[in-house]
């Protein structure tokens, strides 16, 4: 039996929230140490219509690609040990919204905004992949998170804005979280 199954939903939800708060804390501490001044830090938050459109468009393309692959590949290709299914099934849509905003913001702040900006494209992406260690046991999920990580890194380099990758990450997590939620509720 997977160890996560013995924990009630509120414990899984708290673990996700506390983990993301820890990531924000680490990102903030590193930002204080690595950025020369506040202006250099705020520059990663530039926003424009182009940045927003790139984020939305790429996020939606990623979701459509994942949903199509879910129809073609066997269910085991998407098995992360059941954690996503357990978490998103027990949350309501508003909780999924809040958690996916938190996850997208914290992870992109750390991995793209702070780490990629200071240690480079490849090391930051390798760390992103490593943090998603539960995907390392499943070849498809490993390939998926690797492609996604490098895509996010490239988009960040191209747009020079954290907002583009935050939007992509959020759209993917939220729509797939909602999909998991309703698929398991209706037995689809």
């Amino acid at each position: 039996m997977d160890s996560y199954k013995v924990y009630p939903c509120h414990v899984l939800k708290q673990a996700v929230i506390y983990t993301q708060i820890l990531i924000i804390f680490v990102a903030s501490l590193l930002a204080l140490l690595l950025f020369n001044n506040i202006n250099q830090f705020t520059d990663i938050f530039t926003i424009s219509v182009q940045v927003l459109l790139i984020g939305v468009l790429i996020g939606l393309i990623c979701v459509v690609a994942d949903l199509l692959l879910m129809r073609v590949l066997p269910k085991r290709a998407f098995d992360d040990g059941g954690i996503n299914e357990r978490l998103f099934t027990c949350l309501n849509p508003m909780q999924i919204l809040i958690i996916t905003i938190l996850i997208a913001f914290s992870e992109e702040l750390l991995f793209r905004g702070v780490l990629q900006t200071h240690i480079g494209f490849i090391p930051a992406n390798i760390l992103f992949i490593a943090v998603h260690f539960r995907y390392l046991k499943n070849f498809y999920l490993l390939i998926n998170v690797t492609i996604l990580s490098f895509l996010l890194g490239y988009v960040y380099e191209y747009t020079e804005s954290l907002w583009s990758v935050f939007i992509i990450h959020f759209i993917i997590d939220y729509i797939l979280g909602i999909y998991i939620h309703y698929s398991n509720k209706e037995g689809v």
Side-chain angles (χ1 to χ4, degrees):
M1 179 177 212
D2 294 317
S3 62
Y4 78 89
K5 290 181 180 178
V6 298
Y7 297 108
C9 180
H10 74 277
V11 173
L12 289 174
K13 182 174 69 171
Q14 284 177 335
V16 170
I17 291 169
Y18 292 152
T19 301
Q20 301 314 307
I21 290 170
L22 177 62
I23 290 172
I24 291 171
F25 175 76
V26 169
S28 300
L29 183 61
L30 287 172
L32 284 171
L33 295 171
L34 298 173
F35 285 98
N36 293 329
N37 57 55
I38 192 73
N39 291 335
Q40 188 184 30
F41 177 70
T42 59
D43 284 348
I44 69 173
F45 292 97
T46 59
I47 193 162
S48 68
V49 172
Q50 180 184 8
V51 163
L52 297 175
L53 288 175
I54 288 171
V56 170
L57 182 62
I58 293 174
L60 291 174
I61 289 169
C62 290
V63 168
V64 168
D66 255 354
L67 292 174
L68 289 172
L69 287 170
M70 285 180 192
R71 297 219 179 258
V72 175
L73 296 173
K75 185 172 177 141
R76 71 179 179 279
F78 298 90
D79 183 12
D80 70 337
I83 295 172
N84 285 341
E85 185 176 320
R86 172 80 173 116
L87 180 66
F88 290 124
T89 299
C90 73
L91 298 176
N92 66 49
M94 183 55 70
Q95 291 170 322
I96 294 171
L97 175 73
I98 292 166
I99 286 210
T100 55
I101 287 172
L102 182 60
I103 291 168
F105 178 77
S106 63
E107 290 184 3
E108 295 312 320
L109 177 64
L110 177 62
F111 293 102
R112 261 38 91 181
V114 176
L115 294 177
Q116 185 170 324
T117 300
H118 288 90
I119 67 172
F121 180 84
I122 291 176
N125 285 299
I126 290 171
L127 288 171
F128 181 85
I129 294 162
V131 165
H132 292 82
F133 60 89
R134 74 178 191 272
Y135 296 158
L136 302 179
K137 298 176 191 173
N138 179 316
F139 182 73
Y140 170 75
L141 291 177
L142 174 60
I143 296 300
N144 189 313
V145 77
T146 300
I147 291 170
L148 179 61
S149 181
F150 281 91
L151 174 65
L152 290 167
Y154 173 75
V155 171
Y156 178 67
E157 292 285 319
Y158 178 78
T159 63
E160 298 179 348
S161 174
L162 199 61
W163 291 112
S164 59
V165 292
F166 163 74
I167 291 167
I168 294 167
H169 197 146
F170 165 71
I171 286 173
I172 293 167
D173 286 359
Y174 181 70
I175 294 175
L176 293 177
I178 290 293
Y179 175 80
I180 291 168
H181 176 81
Y182 285 109
S183 292
N184 288 309
K185 294 280 187 205
E186 298 171 4
V188 174

